[in-house]
Amino acid sequence: MTDRTKLAVSFAPFWHNGSRVTDRSRQIILAALPAALFGVYRFGFSALGVLALAVSSAVLWELAFTRVAKRPVSVGDGTAAVIGLLFGMMLPASLPWWAVITGTFLAIVVARQIYGGIGANPFNPAAVAIAILMLAWKQRMDFDTALVNSVFDFPAFFPLAAVKAFGTEAIRDVALIDLFLGRQTGGIGTICNAALLAGGIYLVLRRVIRWEIPVSFLAGVALTAAAFHVVDPLRYASPAFHLLTGFTFFGAFFLATEDASSPVNFIPMLIYGAVAGAIAVFIRNIGVFAEGLVFAVLVGNLIQPLLDKIRPQALGKVG
Amino acid sequence: MQINLLVRYLEAGKYEDAEESYDLHSCIECGLCSYVCVSKIPILQYIMLAKHELVRMRSMETVND
């Protein structure tokens, strides 16, 4: 007698390569942690409180919403924790607790779950939440006002706001190496560009994010800033300054590369990154906000469905 | 073929759009997409279902004519 089950053949993928969403979330958190820890070192325990509250409230909002909506509980895949961490890293360390919880509600429920949860969000959830908070509580999200009571061993003004108000004269004494190593004010996890660069390169090497988006994003920022700088060097800062201040590195490696809201093909990725980077500098130089990079990322997310139409044709297809 | 867009159409049951605009019939059913899918979507099963449904719809139309 032959065993019938031995002869049963299933369909093609007989095995899975084992990649999981949880692994990707873990890699992103690992890559973001050095910059976040530097922020805690720089801003003290209030920064740790903001980060912890952001992560935990994001996870709890996700849990609550999946319960209420009777969806499968998706907290375990870690994407809510990633969003909470990235959101918290962009906040000033002195943000009160209610604003943090409101922000994670906006990120998890409004920007993600009502569109269908993981993989279905049209915009980067963390960027949406930061954008709404910047419009709603302008004073609390302003880095100069928020950090006015902190004491630092370096000039404690938000560099981009200083340039916007007083021109490049205000930042003449700011050394680029200081900006790179995080001797500047800003969001908790966005000040240490060295750590962000290391984390971003790690993510690229682990194939969690594609190199095209950060590279074209940074190129878009640099080229646009260079054009402004050539036209009026007294009003507009140099490209290196724009690269090393505000959310630039954070946006390039962690915001613009979000899975669901970024394109997947080579040319669309280049266009997406360059457009978002260019708009970021436009907002900084001639827009209302000193740091409007999250809005630039949102505009990039907005054109992503159009960019996805640029794709290779199937071989031999007629018509 | 653009599998990330194709699978959205297949999940929504829009088989004819998938066939016209997203190269459904270019698929040779190797199963690589399901092998690497991080979210473990049964992509190949969706594709085979779509092809089956299209054949069934076509044959129903010819019977009705």
Side-chain angles (χ1 to χ4, degrees):
Chain A
M1 279 292 283
T2 45
D3 186 0
R4 279 182 169 273
T5 56
K6 268 187 185 167
L7 297 174
V9 176
S10 76
F11 295 113
F14 305 109
W15 198 242
H16 191 268
N17 67 354
S19 61
R20 289 182 303 161
V21 180
T22 319
D23 291 333
R24 293 169 64 88
S25 304
R26 198 177 296 141
Q27 307 278 3
I28 296 173
I29 291 177
L30 197 64
L33 264 186
L37 290 177
F38 184 85
V40 173
Y41 158 73
R42 178 64 82 210
F43 297 115
F45 279 105
S46 59
L48 186 63
V50 169
L51 283 178
L53 185 61
V55 174
S56 55
S57 62
V59 172
L60 286 177
W61 280 122
E62 171 110 343
L63 185 65
F65 191 89
T66 46
R67 277 283 161 78
V68 170
K70 298 193 172 60
R71 286 189 190 153
V73 175
S74 54
V75 167
D77 62 24
T79 46
V82 168
I83 292 171
L85 181 64
L86 296 186
F87 169 75
M89 284 169 72
M90 284 186 283
L91 296 174
S94 63
L95 200 71
W97 59 271
W98 44 267
V100 178
I101 292 181
T102 314
T104 49
F105 171 79
L106 293 168
I108 296 292
V109 178
V110 176
R112 198 164 96 111
Q113 286 293 346
I114 61 172
Y115 288 106
I118 178 171
N121 49 304
F123 298 106
N124 185 328
V128 170
I130 289 290
I132 297 177
L133 285 199
M134 278 170 71
L135 295 170
W137 293 300
K138 213 171 174 185
Q139 292 302 314
R140 300 214 182 259
M141 293 296 287
D142 182 90
F143 292 116
D144 281 332
T145 322
L147 300 170
V148 72
N149 292 324
S150 313
V151 180
F152 302 112
D153 54 349
F154 51 88
F157 53 78
F158 187 48
L160 285 168
V163 169
K164 199 165 186 60
F166 307 113
T168 47
E169 192 67 16
I171 48 140
R172 202 183 36 192
D173 299 332
V174 177
L176 289 176
I177 186 70
D178 280 358
L179 295 178
F180 185 67
L181 292 176
R183 288 167 60 81
Q184 57 170 324
T185 63
I188 295 169
T190 61
I191 52 171
C192 186
N193 291 302
L196 287 171
L197 183 64
I201 290 174
Y202 171 77
L203 286 183
V204 170
L205 291 180
R206 294 305 296 261
R207 303 288 177 92
V208 176
I209 63 175
R210 296 281 295 266
W211 63 267
E212 288 92 338
I213 294 175
V215 166
S216 61
F217 189 95
L218 295 175
V221 168
L223 289 179
T224 318
F228 272 103
H229 188 61
V230 166
V231 171
D232 191 350
L234 283 180
R235 265 185 74 196
Y236 303 120
S238 66
F241 178 82
H242 273 292
L243 283 179
L244 294 174
T245 50
F247 295 164
T248 309
F249 271 60
F250 187 78
F253 288 110
F254 292 96
L255 289 183
T257 54
E258 205 257 344
D259 297 333
S261 53
S262 59
V264 291
N265 279 339
F266 181 68
I267 293 172
M269 279 195 287
L270 293 183
I271 301 175
Y272 166 84
V275 166
I279 291 177
V281 177
F282 273 111
I283 295 175
R284 282 177 184 180
N285 279 346
I286 52 181
V288 178
F289 290 93
E291 175 52 310
L293 192 135
V294 288
F295 297 104
V297 171
L298 294 180
V299 173
N301 295 160
L302 199 59
I303 60 170
Q304 176 256 333
L306 285 176
L307 293 176
D308 262 342
K309 294 208 176 270
I310 307 172
R311 59 202 160 92
Q313 285 296 314
L315 273 181
K317 191 175 178 184
V318 184
Chain B
M1 44 196 293
Q2 190 91 0
I3 194 71
N4 61 325
L5 296 177
L6 175 64
V7 75
R8 294 280 184 217
Y9 278 80
L10 299 182
E11 278 175 337
K14 297 192 177 299
Y15 301 133
E16 281 169 333
D17 288 336
E19 181 187 29
E20 273 170 34
S21 312
Y22 293 95
D23 312 324
L24 175 66
H25 291 300
S26 299
C27 173
I28 58 167
E29 302 183 9
C30 63
L32 277 177
C33 52
S34 304
Y35 174 73
V36 299
C37 183
V38 179
S39 307
K40 299 193 176 142
I41 303 172
I43 308 172
L44 181 64
Q45 279 74 7
Y46 273 124
I47 289 175
M48 298 201 318
L49 176 67
K51 287 178 175 174
H52 175 76
E53 285 290 314
L54 283 170
V55 169
R56 204 175 58 84
M57 277 160 56
R58 300 277 147 74
S59 61
M60 294 280 277
E61 280 167 12
T62 48
V63 168
N64 288 341
D65 289 344

